[in-house]
Amino acid sequence: MDVVELSRLQFALTAMYHFLFVPLTLGLSVILAVMESIYVTTGRTIWRDMVKFWGTLFGINFAMGVATGITMEFQFGTNWAYYSHYVGDVFGAPLAIEGIVAFFLEATFVGLFFFGWERLSRVQHLIVTALLALGTNLSALWILIANGWMQYPVGAKFNLATMRMEVTDFAAVVFNPVAQDKFVHTVSACYVVGSMFVLSISAFYLLRGRHRGLAIRSMTVAASFGLASALSVVVLGDESGYTAGLNQKMKIAAIEADWETEPAPAAFNLIALPDETAHANSFAIRIPWVLGIIDTRSIDTKVPGIKQLVEVAAKRIRSGMIAYGAIPELRAHPDDPALRKNFDDHVADLGYALLLKKFTPDPAHATDAQIEAASWYTVPAVTALFWSFHVMVGLGLYFIALFAAMFYLASARRLERYRAVLWVCLWSLPLPWLAAELGWYVAEGGRQPWTIDGVLPTFLSASSVSASNVWLSLSAFVIFYSALAVVDAVLMVRTVRIGPAPSHAPLAASSGPIVKTA
Amino acid sequence: MLDYETLRVIWWALLGVLLIGIAVMDGFDLGSAILLPIVGRSDMERRIVINTVGPVWEGNQVWLILGGGAIFAAWPLLYAVAFSGFYLAMLLLLLSLILRPVGFKFRSKLQGTRWRNVWDGALFIGGLVPALVYGVAFGNALQGVPFRFDDTLRMTYEGSLFDLFNPFALLCALVSVAMIVMHGATWLSIKTEAPVRNRARRAAAVAGVVLIVLFLAGGVWAGHIDGYAIGHFAGTNAPSNPLAKQVTRAAGHLLVNYRAYPWMLAAPIMGLAAAGWSLLLSLMKRATVAAFVGSGIASAAVIATAGLSLFPFLLPSSADPGSSLTVWDASSSETTLGVMLAVTVVFLPIVMIYTGWVYRVLRGPVTAASIEKDPHSAY
């Protein structure tokens, strides 16, 4: 593998690993704030015990989130140096703002959350917990503003003098509609993860007849919060499908495996077996109208297929070649207005000309065959995207059903009646993580071959480091992370087995057996 | 409004503020971790040391995270060149930093001696390696590092990991470790009681002496290594493109700024004076808070000295001096610098206010009794 592939693999692995912990931090922080609010308003100590118990698990997870997050902040520089230069003027700002506005808040108050119980009044401690939750959510907002710009690079322009993208409208970067939709969709998914975590472990306690008071209350919170979040994920996921349809038409076409442009309103491929060499599906089950409505909010707008989008890409490559070819002339005659105008007219497609560097050292004079090859290169991995997306959506619908059922049972006070349902809750534990990771694959894999959609190809973004160095770092991260994952899992399971600290669980409206602790 | 040149100088100063923030805030918890095996002889003593920083280290480390983010946003070329150029050194830094959150959190979750010793070791490494890498990075920045750009500003780096560990860089690494250990030791003498406190004071005094001697040695040495000077260049308000200038390289250039602007000598002098004052207080077993302030000022002044010696360079190139990164050609656009400055002016004071409140809530020494009172929350 070359440096680009290795760096992609390393980024994908470290990011996906980081995102095992991030959603639980986000989801649990809000659930902790909800539980503590109930404690402060009702004064019932079992709610404080719940905050402390779930807080212990939160803390173990938080440490892993921080440990894996550091890598992300530095990895753009270490492995994606050209990317960092090319878009740092735009992309760096939300990352830095995340640090100063959000992560400071989160990290400063997380210590006080654990160490402040004896030093703060109830209300003060609640404020600390709430600020912690606020910090984690703001953190997600700024990271997703950064990521949203990679999907939909608004408010910036290429500057020939500095050979990079520069901000022209910072407000457009912040209020990027793609970023806003991604934020709501992603944090809702994180709340589903947190809710499922609480739901599953509570189900485990109810199945064992332990800590019933804590488990039933926790489950009620998780079911309500989980239902609202699961609805929000799907509804706003649909919204993000709509905004993605505005700019990332290729991603939409790929996740739907639509090779041809459909007459409006487009049908939805429920199941498809894409054949990526023949550029067609060898098998498909289709539902009429659905796709057109999701993507265009209308029944008379066409949804373009992959083949048509490849033709669009070819046009943009030809346009980009003009801008690319103008660069040396402009350097020689920087004040020539005709040259400048020609460049400005085509600079929006400069990124498409850069794609040609994969096929020829001289993009300005690419052959028709090279342009054809580069235009097909804009098609991402259709089969993998189609299935990732469809499994993710299926899981999203499943979460709505499960949380709705649990919400009903909690309202009817029948949470303990059906053991089979509790088993389902327990075994559903890993599913929201699976959905979240698939979602990131769809978002990032669907953007390929670009790091910045339409602006900078992935294969040009990497650092000029040696493949052996990246092998070394990749192996080191895999070894470190695997070892820590085992330790993390052991401590989590152990904490769950021990259950809430005995000193805090005297009233335990539970009739279950008293638990020994180490 | 501020012009581009002014914004660049402000962001150069803010880069210094962030690096000083790392050294002063994260420095004492790194230093405490390095001192863990030295001042903590029993499990409970080590637990005391860990719990002095346990509730606050996470917030302190955000200075480092913010430092990374702010360099990315304000000095993207510096971020790209330094982080990819120092690839394996960065890997060492990251791996050691990964050990810290888990070390703090996991260590006291189980009772076993071997378990706890492993995590104590991890915390020690997580303190020592970053301190070394920071120093090595400064040492190499002062000498220049071998990189060059092509006309698309793609950077190639021509050195190896072992080149980074050259004699001058190693001296800087030791300065960095001494400074961080001293700062950790003065922190521990505030937050602990005897016998840990007595050991911490001795460590502070030793580290203070080492810091003063090595810092002076570094100053003398710096006069004999090659520094850099800008010749013809596009101007302080020109677009950021490092290829539009000429740079000469000669011995003694690192001290030129101090001859041209003698007021800059305040930085090294203050570094020596604050270190000396702090070490005397530790020796006399007095005024622990003042000793901590002293080691903090010393850390800030050492970093300021390095920055002022380099100015206007951020990272000179030894392979192709014309590719060197300077304040005038490696910054973000005027818009980005302006927006980021506004964000910083609003939020940095807010961060300082709530951080101050957290430290106030947590004031007072950590003792065996205070840990045993709440063993489940304590680390």
Side-chain angles (χ1 to χ4, degrees), chain B residues 46-211:
Chain B
R46 285 194 289 276
R47 227 178 146 179
I48 288 170
V49 171
I50 288 170
N51 277 285
T52 62
V53 294
V56 294
W57 81 271
E58 204 113 44
N60 295 340
Q61 185 160 287
V62 181
W63 285 94
L64 173 67
I65 308 286
L66 178 61
I71 294 175
F72 198 173
W75 308 102
L77 277 171
L78 178 62
Y79 178 81
V81 172
F83 287 22
S84 66
F86 299 164
Y87 192 83
L88 291 180
M90 287 299 298
L91 177 64
L92 275 177
L93 175 68
L94 289 173
L95 294 178
S96 59
L97 289 175
I98 286 171
L99 294 173
R100 277 160 60 78
V102 285
F104 281 111
K105 199 75 202 180
F106 294 175
R107 178 199 184 272
S108 297
K109 291 269 178 229
L110 301 181
Q111 297 282 348
T113 313
R114 258 180 63 195
W115 171 267
R116 291 190 172 184
N117 286 347
V118 165
W119 291 116
D120 288 345
L123 286 172
F124 172 75
I125 292 169
L128 182 64
V129 172
L132 284 169
V133 172
Y134 297 156
V136 165
F138 267 90
N140 281 286
L142 286 164
Q143 298 173 87
V145 292
F147 66 91
R148 66 178 80 234
F149 293 109
D150 69 10
D151 64 352
T152 66
L153 291 183
R154 181 176 294 276
M155 186 277 287
T156 44
Y157 188 82
E158 293 161 10
S160 73
L161 177 66
F162 298 104
D163 299 335
L164 290 180
F165 292 92
N166 55 69
F168 182 75
L170 289 175
L171 175 76
C172 294
L174 294 178
V175 168
S176 165
V177 172
M179 175 178 115
I180 282 172
V181 166
M182 182 186 196
H183 199 41
T186 55
W187 164 259
L188 288 177
S189 42
I190 300 177
K191 294 293 284 186
T192 62
E193 293 176 346
V196 175
R197 172 188 260 181
N198 295 334
R199 293 180 203 133
R201 279 180 165 146
R202 276 199 294 279
V206 172
V209 171
V210 173
L211 172 62

Side-chain angles (χ1 to χ4, degrees), chain A residues 73 82 89 161 460 464 473, chain B residues 79 87 152 154-155 241 333 336:
Chain A
E73 182 89 4
Y82 198 66
D89 193 71
L460 290 178
S464 310
S473 59
Chain B
Y79 178 81
Y87 192 83
T152 66
R154 181 176 294 276
M155 186 277 287
N241 189 325
S333 64
T336 298

